Amino acid sequence: MAFDFKKEYKEFYMPKDKPAIILVPKMNYIAVRGKGDPNDEDGEYKAAIGLLYGIAFTIKMSKKGDHQIDGYFDYVVPPLEGFWWMDGQDGIDYGHKENFCWISVIRLPDFVTKDDFRWAVDTATKKKKQDFSKVDFLTVEEGLCIQCMHIGAYDDEPNTVTTMHEFMEQQGYVLDISDKRLHHEIYLSDARKVAPEKLKTVIRHPIRKKGT
């Protein structure tokens, strides 16, 4: 049976709908950076998702080709994720999505090296006759965070965030968002197929102990 990151690492992908403190280790990702409204049909975000999955499935299907990755095991491609911010302001204004800055990502299995990643980019570029130059190999170590499962529309996320921050303060922590530590979302539902009120999204924020 294929290895499923969501099932094997439930603490990172399947939290409860109540806030919890968690220590997130270093992870590697396929990443595409961009700006703009994610709902724009002709925008950068939709294009970025296509690039991410193009590389993700090239790596997953490498087992059937000449490039054999050392340590490879069969796995389910992990869910789409995103790091979000808006330049020049604290927090996020959901009323002005055109000002979003983002890094859209898909997690890589640990056996994928930078050389394997470069092979995948070259292979996808040749096979798909598409430009994958925006795709990067990104390593992130989030460290201490608070997270919660948000159930509902993306525009309703502020309600969950407020609950998270209240819990964080009660436990003696403060928010630690910066240009290196960002608002993080993990998308467990396909918004094209699931009603907005049933969407499941992991929301994660970096924190630190008060006074440190």
Side-chain angles (χ1 to χ4, degrees):
M1 185 177 293
F3 185 94
D4 189 333
F5 287 84
K6 298 190 301 299
K7 294 179 180 178
E8 298 296 334
Y9 299 112
K10 290 182 179 179
E11 66 270 33
F12 302 129
Y13 297 100
M14 301 297 291
K16 296 180 180 179
D17 58 355
K18 295 181 180 179
I21 309 297
I22 188 169
L23 189 63
V24 185
K26 181 168 63 177
M27 300 181 191
N28 297 325
Y29 298 93
I30 310 164
V32 177
R33 293 168 172 79
K35 295 182 178 181
D37 188 340
N39 298 317
D40 185 349
E41 286 298 328
D42 299 317
E44 288 186 52
Y45 187 75
K46 294 290 176 67
I49 292 175
L51 295 174
L52 290 174
Y53 279 105
I55 300 303
F57 279 100
T58 297
I59 293 171
K60 174 178 169 58
M61 302 310 295
S62 64
K63 61 183 179 180
K64 295 188 175 182
D66 295 332
H67 184 87
Q68 296 297 303
I69 299 176
D70 188 34
Y72 180 97
F73 55 79
D74 194 22
Y75 63 98
V76 177
V77 171
L80 180 69
E81 308 182 36
F83 296 95
W84 299 83
W85 73 98
M86 288 182 171
D87 286 335
Q89 70 178 69
D90 293 329
I92 290 173
D93 180 357
Y94 287 80
H96 289 280
K97 295 184 176 68
E98 70 277 6
N99 295 329
F100 271 131
C101 299
W102 41 262
I103 308 172
S104 192
V105 302
I106 293 176
R107 183 178 178 177
L108 285 166
D110 290 342
F111 59 71
V112 178
T113 66
K114 289 185 178 180
D115 285 341
D116 295 322
F117 179 82
R118 284 190 286 266
W119 165 84
V121 171
D122 290 342
T123 299
T125 300
K126 293 172 184 175
K127 285 189 175 181
K128 298 178 182 295
K129 294 181 172 56
Q130 189 176 348
D131 182 8
F132 284 89
S133 60
K134 288 186 176 181
V135 181
D136 290 326
F137 182 102
L138 177 68
T139 300
V140 179
E141 187 168 1
E142 290 185 273
L144 191 64
C145 293
I146 185 168
Q147 69 178 14
C148 187
M149 181 72 79
H150 170 72
I151 300 175
Y154 301 131
D155 285 351
D156 293 335
E157 286 182 6
N159 297 329
T160 298
V161 169
T162 296
T163 301
M164 289 168 58
H165 290 181
E166 289 174 349
F167 178 82
M168 167 191 75
E169 292 170 1
Q170 291 167 3
Q171 299 300 311
Y173 294 92
V174 293
L175 195 63
D176 195 31
I177 286 180
S178 67
D179 59 349
K180 300 293 185 184
R181 308 187 75 204
L182 300 165
H183 172 102
H184 185 181
E185 299 183 1
I186 303 173
Y187 307 105
L188 302 177
S189 305
D190 187 338
R192 299 168 300 178
K193 302 175 181 178
V194 178
E197 65 272 14
K198 295 182 179 179
L199 291 172
K200 291 184 177 181
T201 308
V202 180
I203 301 177
R204 186 181 294 161
H205 279 175
I207 60 174
R208 57 180 169 81
K209 265 292 187 182
K210 193 176 296 183
T212 62

